[in-house]
Amino acid sequence: MNGTDKGEYSFSTCWNIKRHTSGADMVQEIADLGFRRVELNYNVTKDMLATIEPMIERGEIGISSVHNTFPHVPDPDYGTDSVLLGFEDEEKRKRAIELLVGSAEYAHRYDAEAVVVHPGEVPFEPDISKELSRLYHDEGKDSLAYRSKWEELMERREALAAGYVQKIIASLDEVCNKAISKGIKVRFGIETRSRPQQIPTLAEAKTIIQALRGAPVGIWYDTGHAIMMDRLGLYDSVGEMDGLMDDIVGVHIHETLGLSDHWCPYVHSKDMNFYDAYLPMIRRAQVKVYELKAACKPEEIHESHALLMSKLAEAAYS
């Protein structure tokens, strides 16, 4: 290992997957940063796993988590931005359930602790989040155009979201029953998302988790996505965080500049205080995963981790 040992912290393959065709080379590059564990993201293919699995078996790398749908499924119906567990089409919903159980089987086989789940969304044709982002950048959050488009989003979201949430609850219940019957011991973390039409908000996450109380389902708090949704006005990413503290499964650690996410905390924003608000959730999470973009350089990753560790140590003694 060339990098400083990162201890319990894990690192997502989303950082370097586009640079590699060999799974082993991809994982080794992460191990060289000092990470003992990786999160295998939804773009990891079965071909890549053929060279990663021997590394797992030899104890050269640990797997903290896998990101549904895993391994990679090219069908966009089961991709990351999809209705997925909320499909009204029963055949599609059953397929989404089977794929999530399959992801859990891989996680269990690799001794991972969790599966990261994108539960679903309120569908919009075309994708309304692109227009909102454009208006946010070009005209500002307080502009008439932005507010009008936001009201359009919220009107449809408020009319339809509860129905999709109930479908997601039913689907996750089926997933958990199937996983338990197979002896699979992993937790499912429903992830805070990066587009405002996507489920869950923090309130929706609470509804889902409470409905499935006793099942291995909690929240996967993606800090960068939560910051984006807060900036757009969907929810209070810090104020509502406390209510989910007991149900935290994992975190994705990254910072957001404007509405651009997956940057190294503290390092790219140059703000030494803003990200501190998310430290309590990071501390409480069972699984702690950096989810950074390819533009983040090794030296920036090391610097960001060192800052995060010192911040967490300071908070523990204050």
Side-chain angles (χ1 to χ4, degrees):
M1 277 188 196
N2 300 329
T4 312
D5 183 4
K6 304 299 189 296
E8 67 177 318
Y9 286 77
S10 179
F11 196 88
S12 171
T13 54
C14 76
W15 175 64
N16 63 343
I17 192 159
K18 289 183 179 170
R19 291 202 297 272
H20 293 280
T21 52
S22 159
D25 291 348
M26 173 178 69
V27 167
Q28 188 58 54
E29 186 180 22
I30 292 170
D32 288 344
L33 293 173
F35 290 95
R36 302 178 196 172
R37 306 202 299 167
V38 300
E39 176 174 290
L40 297 171
N41 83 323
Y42 48 79
N43 284 323
V44 173
T45 64
K46 284 187 176 176
D47 285 349
M48 286 179 152
L49 288 178
T51 58
I52 294 169
E53 286 178 350
M55 296 178 77
I56 299 169
E57 287 160 14
R58 292 193 297 265
E60 292 166 17
I61 198 71
I63 307 302
S64 64
S65 37
V66 305
H67 197 311
N68 189 59
T69 301
F70 181 89
H72 181 63
V73 174
D75 186 342
D77 273 349
Y78 307 101
T80 55
D81 301 313
S82 159
V83 179
L84 216 59
L85 297 175
F87 273 126
E88 291 173 274
D89 181 310
E90 201 56 15
E91 204 171 300
K92 285 186 172 184
R93 192 178 73 89
K94 293 288 186 191
R95 174 75 176 137
I97 287 167
E98 291 303 327
L99 286 167
L100 180 49
V101 172
S103 296
E105 286 178 309
Y106 274 97
H108 180 76
R109 187 187 313 166
Y110 299 154
D111 287 326
E113 295 171 80
V115 180
V116 183
V117 183
H118 289 182
E121 62 182 45
V122 175
F124 277 82
E125 291 292 343
D127 179 0
I128 197 168
S129 66
K130 289 178 181 169
E131 181 64 7
L132 277 166
S133 294
R134 186 189 68 75
L135 290 169
Y136 182 95
H137 286 299
D138 294 352
E139 300 189 36
K141 191 177 169 183
D142 296 325
S143 68
L144 185 61
Y146 182 88
R147 288 207 308 271
S148 173
K149 184 57 71 171
W150 184 259
E151 281 166 19
E152 180 190 328
L153 164 82
M154 292 310 290
E155 193 175 312
R156 181 171 164 83
R157 212 184 185 292
E158 283 164 16
L160 299 176
Y164 284 106
V165 166
Q166 288 308 310
K167 284 275 186 195
I168 287 164
I169 289 166
S171 297
L172 284 169
D173 190 39
E174 288 183 54
V175 167
C176 291
N177 288 334
K178 286 176 186 287
I180 289 162
S181 74
K182 290 172 179 275
I184 294 169
K185 293 183 173 67
V186 297
R187 294 178 77 194
F188 297 92
I190 52 174
E191 184 180 359
T192 52
R193 301 304 320 284
S194 61
R195 300 181 186 183
Q197 73 269 33
Q198 293 175 324
I199 296 169
T201 61
L202 296 183
E204 288 162 353
K206 197 159 192 170
T207 298
I208 293 165
I209 292 162
Q210 285 177 341
L212 295 165
R213 187 61 71 200
V217 174
I219 189 161
W220 190 281
Y221 196 93
D222 184 298
T223 57
H225 293 169
I227 292 164
M228 285 169 75
M229 293 306 97
D230 193 318
R231 286 180 182 157
L232 288 173
L234 190 64
Y235 54 76
D236 179 347
S237 66
V238 177
E240 294 180 58
M241 193 167 71
D242 285 350
L244 287 157
M245 215 51 109
D246 292 338
D247 297 305
I248 182 74
V249 173
V251 288
H252 277 152
I253 300 166
H254 59 104
E255 197 167 3
T256 297
L257 311 182
L259 295 180
S260 170
D261 56 356
H262 301 289
W263 295 101
C264 295
Y266 303 110
V267 170
H268 288 110
S269 67
K270 305 284 192 286
D271 187 326
M272 289 297 123
N273 300 304
F274 172 78
Y275 198 75
D276 293 0
Y278 302 92
L279 297 178
M281 200 56 118
I282 293 170
R283 187 182 296 106
R284 283 290 288 275
Q286 175 186 344
V287 189
K288 311 174 202 296
V289 182
Y290 283 95
E291 192 181 56
L292 303 177
K293 60 173 60 186
C296 296
K297 297 172 183 156
E299 59 271 23
E300 292 166 338
I301 295 164
H302 296 314
E303 183 186 354
S304 183
H305 182 70
L307 284 164
L308 190 74
M309 292 303 94
S310 67
K311 291 273 190 179
L312 285 164
E314 279 170 32
Y317 289 109
S318 61

